Amino acid sequence: MAEELTGYTGPATMEKITSLAKRRGFVFQSSEIYGGQNGAWDYGPLGIELKNRIAANWWKAMTQLHDEIVGLDAAILMHPRTWEASGHVENFTDPLVDCKKCKTRFRADMVPDENLANKTCPECGGELTDTRKFNLMFKSHIGPTEDNAGLIYLRPETAQGIYVNYKNIIQSNRMKIPFGIAQIGKAFRNEIVTKNFIFRTCEFEQMEMQYFVKPGTDVEWFNEWKKRRWAYYEKLGVKMDHLRWHQHGPDELAHYAKDAYDIQYLFPMGWRELEGVHNRTNYDLTRHTEYSGKDLQYIDQDNNNDRYIPFIIETSAGLTRTLLMLICDAYDEEKVADKGDADDWRTVLRFHPVVAPVTVAMLPLMKKDGLAEMAQDMRNELKEDFATDYDQAGAIGRRYRRQDEAGTPFCVTVDYQSKEDGTVTLRYRDSMEQIRVPRTELAEKIRQEIKSYKRKA
Ligand code: ATP
């Protein structure tokens, strides 16, 4: 049934993903011993490795591979005028309705039309309140008093930190238009509906890049960034038939945007936004000029010192949402034997090796006869260059399965032959193929395999 509703036909369900994530230490509920904190999650040993690698991969794709894009790490706490200028104080709201009887709170746009029209609760049939605007920004106070003078917001997007630094960066780094500024960092939104695991949370991370262009060239650059972001996912080995574009209609378009497309991914619960590519026009810089009183025009020294406020093309992806997407995308169940028991199946996460939390696992066939020492010794050699794991507990088949479930692309087994001729077994996660490789060539072999990795359908 669910498949018909969502279009998703793969083996993952959100229950399976959530339970695997907990069991293997990817993601835990925040403050679980106190019953959990809604909308907040903790990243365990495998989760933080995966998250760091996704961030590093994005950072490389957006900065290292583009001469004209530089990085920034702005503070989460910003001057409150920032959010007046950006329009968030006024516009960053969700429409809310409450049920007077069961007290459930709904986002009005998620309540069926007929319930909204006759004001009945879709859960219990009780009476619904009128729709009210609810601002999604978290408020706090800075300083010793809790009055409005110390009002401060947790940033709901990383973008504004880039805009308010754009002049600093032009001056310090002699940037010329077109150029970009990339940033990865936390953002906070008081989301009302936080279901679907880490898909929509109150505390999350964004990977945003703001590209400053000359007015009139914005449409061209917008199309160019759409192409580049699509190619990014292709290179990461994501199932491309699980990605699609969704153009914002007039009722979805943010107050600052001229055009906006989302890249949507087919999650087990259906098509959902993964990333937005937006033409934010010169709205933000114009507003910051107005609110700060500072001149934020760009002076084009190569063109008679022409002055203008640049247009901005934004690519805005969720880091934590990308992590969820990659786990769902990588998740597979494969029949590998026919004995009629649970061992016939393996669960495997087919991560691209550049993001896999562990790249190589060293597994001595036996603990004894010096095999463990040899494997540990090899791990020490490899760990300068790769994220490694070591496992000597239990049958070798079981250990492979454990690594499959963690998404480790390469396992290396040290056996008796290794002691004789210095070769080891390299086992591939995806095909389960095993080959013998001289120990001295192992690191280079793995490096090549990572470089030439192509996901098989
Ligand atoms: P939605 O309409 O789903 O609330 P949005 O359109 O407001 O999202 P943007 O403001 O464009 O989202 O944010 C850019 C990206 O940041 C999103 O594509 C998503 O990947 C991520 N993101 C936004 N809100 C959240 C959240 N509450 N939890 C996790 N990731 C989020």
Side-chain angles (χ1 to χ4, degrees), residues 92 94 107 136 156-157 189 191 198-206 208 248 256 262-263 273-276 278 314 316-322:
F92 197 57
D94 270 349
R107 253 173 68 173
L136 296 180
E157 62 175 26
R189 296 182 187 180
E191 301 277 5
I198 56 171
F199 178 80
R200 184 186 301 286
T201 52
C202 293
E203 176 175 347
F204 58 100
E205 279 173 76
Q206 289 187 312
E208 295 198 309
H248 285 205
Y256 50 73
D262 293 337
I263 297 180
E273 174 177 340
L274 175 66
E275 162 163 358
H278 308 135
E314 163 183 77
S316 176
L319 169 54
T320 42
R321 195 174 284 182
T322 301

